[in-house]
Amino acid sequence: MARSCVLVWYLLVSTTALATAQEPFAFHAGGPYREQVPQPEALLGYGPGARHTQYTSQQAVLDAMATAAPDRVRIEEIGVTEEGRVMRVFIVSAPENIARLDDIRADLARLADPRTLADDQRDAVIARTPAAVMLSYSIHGNEPAGFESVMWVAYELLASDDPATVDVLRNTVVILNPSANPDGHERFAVWSNSVAVGTDEPYTLEWDEPWSIWGRYGHYRFDMNRDFMALSQAPTRAMVGAIVRWHPQVFVDLHSTTEQYFFPPVADPVNANLPPATVKWFSIFGRGNAETFDRYGWQYFTRDIFDLFYTGYFDAGPSLHGAIGMTYESDGGKALKRRRDDGTVITFEEGIAHHYAASLATVRTAAQHREALLSDYHQFRKSAMDDASRNGLRRVLITSEANPTHAARLATLLLQQEIEVARLTEPYTARASSYIEGPHAPATTRTFPVGTYVVDLEQPQGRLARALLERHAEFDSAFVRRQIAKFERNRRRAPGASSDRYEFYDITAWSLPLTLGLETFGTVDGGAITTSAVRMPDEGDGVRAIAPPGGVDGRARSAYLFANDRQAATELALALLAKGFVLNVSGVPVSADGLTFPRGTFVIRTSRNPETIHDQIAALARTIGVPVKAVQSAFPDSGQIGIGANAVDPVFQPKILVAAGDAISVTSYGALWHYLDQELRYPFVPVPLDAVGRMHTMVDYNVFIVPSGSASGIRRALGEDGVQRLKQWVRDGGVLIAYDGAALFPGHDDVGLGSVKAFEPAEDEAKDANDSLPSAPELSPPLASPAADPNRPAWVPGSIFRATLDMTHWLTMGYRQKELPVMVRGSRRLAPSERGDNPVVFVGDSLHLAGFTWPANTEKALQKTIWAGSDRVGRGHVVVFADDPLYRAFWRGPARLLTNAILFGSGR
């Protein structure tokens, strides 16, 4: 397996006839090399793929090579992980480029903003500027081939004096992100090195980590390759910060493990906000990689299943910044040897070699096309401004009254992506359509108040802004027709029969205004508007800095009141409870000091709290950002209910348990962990389900949350003792909260904690529909199965629908609007509770707001099902949600339902 790296560079540009013989491969065959630069294996003490390298060792290797080649590299710190690991990028280029690196970065920034660059200046900038290529390795920590290969890629770029390599470095600035997920990789590497014996047996211990290890994910068990929109994790914020700082023209996200190597072109669908000029580059880079792989006889595939639709990936996201964002998947790892489906064996070393070769081929292709890449990057940003009014959307306006915390969160997310955000400084009148009213709602004339957030799509980041903010992401019509044809075939089959595989790779709707539950409007109006720019603070919490300030308006004699109208209010309530203060909540509107406060208002009575309440609530309200009213009298000036009424109930301090272990989704658990720890700043205790039955200290807790998981698996993990203990605990006043797949667990016949069960179509309705199944001869199978049920809810790949709230139920306290966007995934639907409450339901026409939906099935199957149900059991409650209210940290609109369950569901 030996081959000269000189040939790697040469073959990519060779115009001579290709040799037919397969050529061998080897690392370090592309000299001459600088003797002072040490080879990775000399520093590690082992060769590529012999074991898994730990993060500190990888950093030491890269530091040693960089120290030996200071003229070719600059190191920049980009962030720190949740576990304290410093993330850095290694910027490698020719010495003459390193000497003027700050000027190059400034020129790239000028290309990124067409407003600062006249056409005659553009050509001069392009002529003198190398293309920026960012290679980011192993965002999934247990996909380690990239993590290892970067050391050999760095050596080749830092040490080789081959003329072709030197020329490549003159034409590119290569930004190496050695580990996109240091925390996850470290968990995986330490575990794997402690158990691996190097077998290719597919059922070996070393193939699958334990639930608590799962190195694919970061510290909070997030899949960071789905975090490009929420930016909830420190490593993803660091990487997006590097993209914004360097404005790369090429971004590659290197993964593993697939049967064969994957690189673009990508499959359908492609995000409609990407222009054809972006798509053409996938073939150019794909052919560059293919030529190298073909020389070695290495297998690979393109298109197939990896699309470029969902904005949250680290290929689609950078693409919407203007880079050519690409995913590469290697076929070696995570085990030291892996048996493929056909029985052949691939080694970890081979997987590393494939990423090494693809990385260098990509850099070479970029160097060959430097000017065209820079020109298209500039045009991408310029055309975003020219196309600002495409599809009837020019400006997006977000009001902040309904939830100032989430409105500030959205502004912060956009600013972190270099998207310009402003606030109205004068009222603005325009014809605009409401997001919550659906796709067919007519535009009406509305006046927006001062303080409304405004995102004008006529800006360099207009394409990314549209992708994040538009209500519905468009699909290619041919792709839709192909899926509908498969759907028509599948609905003629029995439930357990083989079926056509749909081509959706991920969710199909993610509109941030909808997922955050914000009152949002779109307009084509491009007229005059008076605004001031919103700026990110240099340090500190951006959300708190951008959100309206909080504080107490005086010293109360009777009580302090604050509305449950924002996430910050929940944080303040929890902070007060954690300090031991007595807190109440009003289940109905209350009057005090001539004002009316909405239901869900928190009440802190001075007479039932120590004197320290005055200073404490003033400090907390100011820090957290919640306006608090100091009330002087409990006498209601008007209305029926005052703050001393029986309708003002006690709020018990939550003592929270969270279910953990094999039956629970790692990422759903992680989303809850992150939400409680980082956003609400409130403690919880994770407990394995199999420990519940022997947990005599369970009486010390009053909230038990079961994140997404397998209902049957949860039942098995609990065992009979666990079920019985849990039932008694709820009867004694605890609140059990379960969602997504776990929502069906309480209603199991042998559990009996709730009455919510899976929705099943009526048998007579299913039979009538079966008689009218399509029978056109071009449909296959030509005979519908007698067991086919076209009314059975079809699987949905993740779309947004409008649910209706019961505005009298305690679970919906704090919501101002009766309608709430929620996510619908999969094929599970919840039937209404038979003996409890159904506070969030699907009723009415035109439920669909965004994403893919099946005709004559999805909306019909949703009708009169529920998204949230609540059963009273003894002194406690069982609350279930049809999906994860915290999904991927960008779903926050339904989060108040969860926090209401935490705060108000317990009876003790």
Side-chain angles (χ1 to χ4, degrees), residues 112-161:
D113 190 348
R115 298 167 299 189
T116 67
L117 200 62
D119 289 346
D120 57 341
Q121 296 175 314
R122 177 199 62 200
D123 293 340
V125 170
I126 289 173
R128 67 176 181 247
T129 304
V133 181
M134 189 168 181
L135 305 177
S136 185
Y137 296 88
S138 296
I139 195 170
H140 292 150
N142 66 355
E143 297 179 4
F147 181 95
E148 302 289 338
S149 68
V150 68
M151 293 182 282
W152 278 264
V153 171
Y155 176 77
E156 199 67 33
L157 298 175
L158 290 171
S160 177
D161 276 333

Coordinates of all heavy atoms in Angstrom, one line a residue, residues 112-161:
A112 N -17.3 38.6 1.5 CA -18.6 38.2 2.2 C -19.6 39.3 2.3 O -20.8 39.0 2.5 CB -18.3 37.6 3.5
D113 N -19.3 40.5 2.1 CA -20.2 41.6 2.2 C -20.1 42.5 0.9 O -19.3 43.4 0.8 CB -19.9 42.5 3.4 CG -21.0 43.5 3.7 OD1 -21.9 43.7 2.8 OD2 -21.1 44.1 4.8
P114 N -21.0 42.2 0.0 CA -20.9 42.9 -1.3 C -21.1 44.4 -1.2 O -20.7 45.1 -2.1 CB -22.0 42.2 -2.1 CG -22.3 40.9 -1.5 CD -22.0 41.1 -0.1
R115 N -21.7 44.8 -0.1 CA -22.0 46.3 0.1 C -20.7 47.0 0.3 O -20.6 48.3 0.1 CB -22.9 46.5 1.3 CG -24.3 45.8 1.1 CD -25.0 45.8 2.4 NE -24.4 45.1 3.4 CZ -24.9 44.7 4.6 NH1 -26.1 45.1 4.9 NH2 -24.2 44.0 5.5
T116 N -19.6 46.3 0.7 CA -18.3 47.0 0.9 C -17.3 46.9 -0.2 O -16.2 47.4 -0.1 CB -17.7 46.4 2.2 OG1 -17.3 45.0 1.9 CG2 -18.6 46.4 3.4
L117 N -17.8 46.3 -1.4 CA -16.8 46.0 -2.4 C -17.4 46.3 -3.8 O -18.3 45.7 -4.2 CB -16.4 44.5 -2.3 CG -15.2 44.0 -3.0 CD1 -13.9 44.7 -2.3 CD2 -15.0 42.5 -2.8
A118 N -16.8 47.3 -4.4 CA -17.2 47.6 -5.8 C -16.7 46.5 -6.7 O -15.8 45.8 -6.4 CB -16.7 49.0 -6.2
D119 N -17.3 46.5 -7.9 CA -17.0 45.4 -8.9 C -15.5 45.5 -9.3 O -14.8 44.4 -9.4 CB -17.9 45.5 -10.1 CG -19.3 45.1 -9.8 OD1 -19.5 44.4 -8.8 OD2 -20.2 45.3 -10.7
D120 N -15.0 46.7 -9.5 CA -13.6 46.8 -9.9 C -12.6 46.4 -8.7 O -11.6 45.8 -9.0 CB -13.3 48.2 -10.4 CG -13.6 49.2 -9.3 OD1 -14.4 48.9 -8.4 OD2 -13.0 50.4 -9.4
Q121 N -13.1 46.6 -7.5 CA -12.3 46.1 -6.4 C -12.3 44.6 -6.2 O -11.4 44.0 -5.8 CB -12.8 46.8 -5.1 CG -12.6 48.3 -5.1 CD -13.3 48.9 -3.8 OE1 -14.4 48.6 -3.5 NE2 -12.5 49.9 -3.2
R122 N -13.5 44.1 -6.5 CA -13.7 42.6 -6.3 C -12.7 41.8 -7.1 O -12.1 40.9 -6.5 CB -15.1 42.2 -6.8 CG -15.4 40.7 -6.7 CD -16.6 40.4 -7.6 NE -16.3 40.7 -9.0 CZ -17.2 40.9 -10.0 NH1 -18.4 40.8 -9.7 NH2 -16.8 41.1 -11.2
D123 N -12.4 42.2 -8.3 CA -11.5 41.4 -9.1 C -10.1 41.5 -8.5 O -9.4 40.4 -8.5 CB -11.5 41.9 -10.5 CG -12.8 41.7 -11.2 OD1 -13.6 40.8 -10.8 OD2 -13.1 42.4 -12.3
A124 N -9.7 42.6 -8.0 CA -8.4 42.7 -7.4 C -8.3 41.9 -6.1 O -7.2 41.2 -5.9 CB -8.1 44.2 -7.1
V125 N -9.3 41.9 -5.3 CA -9.3 41.1 -4.1 C -9.2 39.6 -4.5 O -8.4 38.8 -3.9 CB -10.6 41.4 -3.3 CG1 -10.7 40.3 -2.1 CG2 -10.5 42.8 -2.7
I126 N -10.0 39.1 -5.4 CA -10.0 37.7 -5.8 C -8.6 37.3 -6.4 O -8.1 36.2 -6.1 CB -11.1 37.4 -6.9 CG1 -12.5 37.5 -6.2 CG2 -10.9 36.1 -7.5 CD1 -13.6 37.4 -7.2
A127 N -8.0 38.2 -7.1 CA -6.7 37.9 -7.7 C -5.6 37.7 -6.6 O -4.7 36.9 -6.9 CB -6.3 39.0 -8.6
R128 N -5.7 38.3 -5.5 CA -4.6 38.2 -4.5 C -5.0 37.3 -3.3 O -4.2 37.1 -2.4 CB -4.3 39.6 -4.0 CG -5.4 40.3 -3.2 CD -4.9 41.6 -2.6 NE -5.9 42.3 -1.8 CZ -6.6 43.4 -2.1 NH1 -6.3 44.0 -3.3 NH2 -7.5 43.9 -1.3
T129 N -6.2 36.7 -3.3 CA -6.6 36.0 -2.1 C -6.7 34.5 -2.3 O -7.3 34.0 -3.3 CB -8.0 36.5 -1.7 OG1 -8.0 37.9 -1.5 CG2 -8.5 35.8 -0.4
P130 N -6.0 33.7 -1.5 CA -6.2 32.3 -1.5 C -7.6 31.8 -1.1 O -8.2 32.5 -0.3 CB -5.1 31.8 -0.6 CG -4.8 32.9 0.4 CD -5.1 34.2 -0.4
A131 N -8.0 30.7 -1.5 CA -9.3 30.2 -1.1 C -9.2 29.6 0.3 O -8.2 28.9 0.6 CB -9.8 29.1 -2.1
A132 N -10.2 29.8 1.1 CA -10.2 29.2 2.5 C -10.9 27.9 2.5 O -12.1 27.8 2.1 CB -10.8 30.2 3.4
V133 N -10.2 26.8 3.0 CA -10.8 25.5 3.0 C -10.8 25.0 4.5 O -9.7 24.9 5.1 CB -10.0 24.5 2.2 CG1 -10.6 23.1 2.2 CG2 -9.9 25.0 0.7
M134 N -12.0 24.8 5.0 CA -12.0 24.4 6.4 C -12.4 22.9 6.5 O -13.4 22.5 5.9 CB -13.1 25.2 7.2 CG -13.1 24.9 8.7 SD -14.0 26.2 9.6 CE -13.8 25.6 11.3
L135 N -11.5 22.1 7.1 CA -11.7 20.7 7.2 C -12.0 20.4 8.7 O -11.1 20.7 9.6 CB -10.5 19.9 6.8 CG -10.1 20.2 5.3 CD1 -8.8 19.4 5.0 CD2 -11.2 19.9 4.3
S136 N -13.2 19.9 9.0 CA -13.6 19.7 10.4 C -13.8 18.2 10.7 O -14.5 17.5 9.9 CB -14.9 20.4 10.7 OG -15.2 20.4 12.0
Y137 N -13.1 17.6 11.7 CA -13.0 16.2 11.8 C -13.8 15.7 13.0 O -13.7 16.2 14.1 CB -11.6 15.8 11.9 CG -10.8 16.1 10.7 CD1 -10.1 17.3 10.5 CD2 -10.6 15.1 9.7 CE1 -9.4 17.6 9.4 CE2 -9.9 15.4 8.5 CZ -9.3 16.6 8.4 OH -8.6 16.9 7.2
S138 N -14.6 14.6 12.8 CA -15.2 13.8 13.9 C -16.1 14.5 14.8 O -15.9 14.5 16.0 CB -14.1 13.0 14.7 OG -13.4 12.1 13.8
I139 N -17.1 15.2 14.2 CA -18.1 15.8 15.0 C -18.9 14.8 15.8 O -19.4 15.1 16.9 CB -19.1 16.7 14.2 CG1 -19.9 17.6 15.1 CG2 -20.0 15.8 13.3 CD1 -20.7 18.7 14.3
H140 N -18.9 13.6 15.3 CA -19.4 12.4 16.1 C -18.2 11.8 16.7 O -17.4 11.2 16.0 CB -20.2 11.5 15.2 CG -21.5 12.1 14.8 ND1 -22.1 11.7 13.6 CD2 -22.3 13.0 15.3 CE1 -23.2 12.4 13.4 NE2 -23.4 13.2 14.5
G141 N -18.1 11.8 18.0 CA -16.8 11.4 18.7 C -16.5 10.0 18.5 O -15.3 9.6 18.6
N142 N -17.5 9.1 18.3 CA -17.2 7.7 18.0 C -17.1 7.3 16.6 O -17.2 6.2 16.2 CB -18.1 6.8 18.8 CG -19.6 6.9 18.2 OD1 -19.8 7.7 17.4 ND2 -20.5 6.1 18.8
E143 N -16.9 8.4 15.7 CA -16.6 8.2 14.3 C -15.1 8.7 14.1 O -14.9 9.8 13.6 CB -17.6 8.9 13.4 CG -19.0 8.3 13.6 CD -20.0 9.0 12.7 OE1 -19.6 9.9 12.0 OE2 -21.2 8.7 12.8
P144 N -14.1 7.9 14.6 CA -12.8 8.5 14.9 C -11.8 8.5 13.8 O -10.7 9.0 14.0 CB -12.3 7.6 16.0 CG -12.9 6.2 15.6 CD -14.3 6.5 15.0
A145 N -12.2 8.1 12.6 CA -11.2 8.0 11.5 C -10.7 9.5 11.2 O -9.5 9.7 10.9 CB -11.8 7.4 10.3
G146 N -11.6 10.4 11.2 CA -11.2 11.8 10.9 C -10.3 12.3 12.0 O -9.3 13.0 11.7
F147 N -10.6 12.1 13.3 CA -9.8 12.5 14.4 C -8.3 12.0 14.2 O -7.4 12.8 14.5 CB -10.4 12.0 15.7 CG -9.7 12.4 17.0 CD1 -10.1 13.5 17.7 CD2 -8.6 11.6 17.4 CE1 -9.5 13.8 18.9 CE2 -8.0 12.0 18.6 CZ -8.4 13.1 19.3
E148 N -8.2 10.8 13.8 CA -6.8 10.3 13.6 C -6.2 10.8 12.3 O -5.0 11.2 12.3 CB -6.9 8.8 13.5 CG -7.5 8.1 14.7 CD -6.6 8.1 15.9 OE1 -5.4 8.3 15.8 OE2 -7.1 8.0 17.1
S149 N -6.9 10.9 11.2 CA -6.3 11.3 9.9 C -5.8 12.7 9.9 O -4.9 13.0 9.2 CB -7.4 11.1 8.8 OG -8.4 12.0 8.9
V150 N -6.4 13.6 10.7 CA -6.0 15.0 10.7 C -4.5 15.1 11.0 O -3.8 16.0 10.5 CB -6.9 15.9 11.6 CG1 -6.6 15.6 13.1 CG2 -6.6 17.3 11.3
M151 N -4.0 14.2 11.8 CA -2.5 14.3 12.2 C -1.7 14.1 11.0 O -0.6 14.7 10.8 CB -2.2 13.4 13.3 CG -2.9 13.8 14.7 SD -2.5 12.6 16.0 CE -3.5 11.2 15.7
W152 N -2.1 13.1 10.1 CA -1.3 12.8 8.9 C -1.5 13.9 7.8 O -0.6 14.2 7.1 CB -1.6 11.4 8.5 CG -0.8 10.4 9.2 CD1 0.4 9.8 8.8 CD2 -1.1 9.9 10.5 NE1 0.8 9.0 9.8 CE2 -0.1 9.0 10.9 CE3 -2.1 10.0 11.4 CZ2 0.0 8.2 12.0 CZ3 -2.1 9.3 12.6 CH2 -1.1 8.4 12.9
V153 N -2.8 14.4 7.8 CA -3.0 15.5 6.9 C -2.2 16.7 7.2 O -1.5 17.4 6.4 CB -4.5 15.9 6.9 CG1 -4.8 17.2 6.1 CG2 -5.4 14.8 6.3
A154 N -2.1 17.1 8.5 CA -1.3 18.2 9.0 C 0.2 18.0 8.6 O 0.8 18.9 8.2 CB -1.5 18.4 10.5
Y155 N 0.6 16.8 8.9 CA 2.0 16.5 8.6 C 2.3 16.7 7.1 O 3.3 17.4 6.7 CB 2.4 15.1 8.9 CG 3.8 14.7 8.6 CD1 4.9 15.2 9.3 CD2 4.1 14.0 7.4 CE1 6.2 14.9 9.0 CE2 5.4 13.7 7.0 CZ 6.5 14.1 7.8 OH 7.7 13.9 7.4
E156 N 1.5 16.3 6.2 CA 1.7 16.4 4.8 C 1.8 17.9 4.4 O 2.6 18.3 3.6 CB 0.6 15.7 4.0 CG 0.9 15.4 2.6 CD 2.0 14.4 2.5 OE1 2.1 13.5 3.3 OE2 2.9 14.4 1.5
L157 N 0.9 18.7 5.0 CA 0.8 20.1 4.6 C 2.0 20.9 5.3 O 2.4 21.9 4.7 CB -0.5 20.7 5.0 CG -1.8 20.1 4.3 CD1 -3.0 20.7 4.9 CD2 -1.7 20.3 2.8
L158 N 2.4 20.5 6.4 CA 3.4 21.2 7.1 C 4.9 20.8 6.7 O 5.8 21.6 6.8 CB 3.3 21.0 8.7 CG 2.1 21.7 9.3 CD1 1.9 21.3 10.7 CD2 2.2 23.2 9.2
A159 N 5.0 19.5 6.3 CA 6.3 19.0 6.2 C 6.8 18.8 4.7 O 8.0 18.9 4.4 CB 6.5 17.7 6.9
S160 N 5.8 18.7 3.8 CA 6.2 18.3 2.4 C 6.7 19.6 1.7 O 6.1 20.6 1.7 CB 5.0 17.8 1.7 OG 5.3 17.5 0.3
D161 N 7.9 19.4 1.0 CA 8.4 20.4 0.1 C 8.3 20.0 -1.3 O 8.9 20.6 -2.2 CB 9.9 20.6 0.4 CG 10.1 21.6 1.6 OD1 9.2 22.4 1.8 OD2 11.2 21.5 2.3

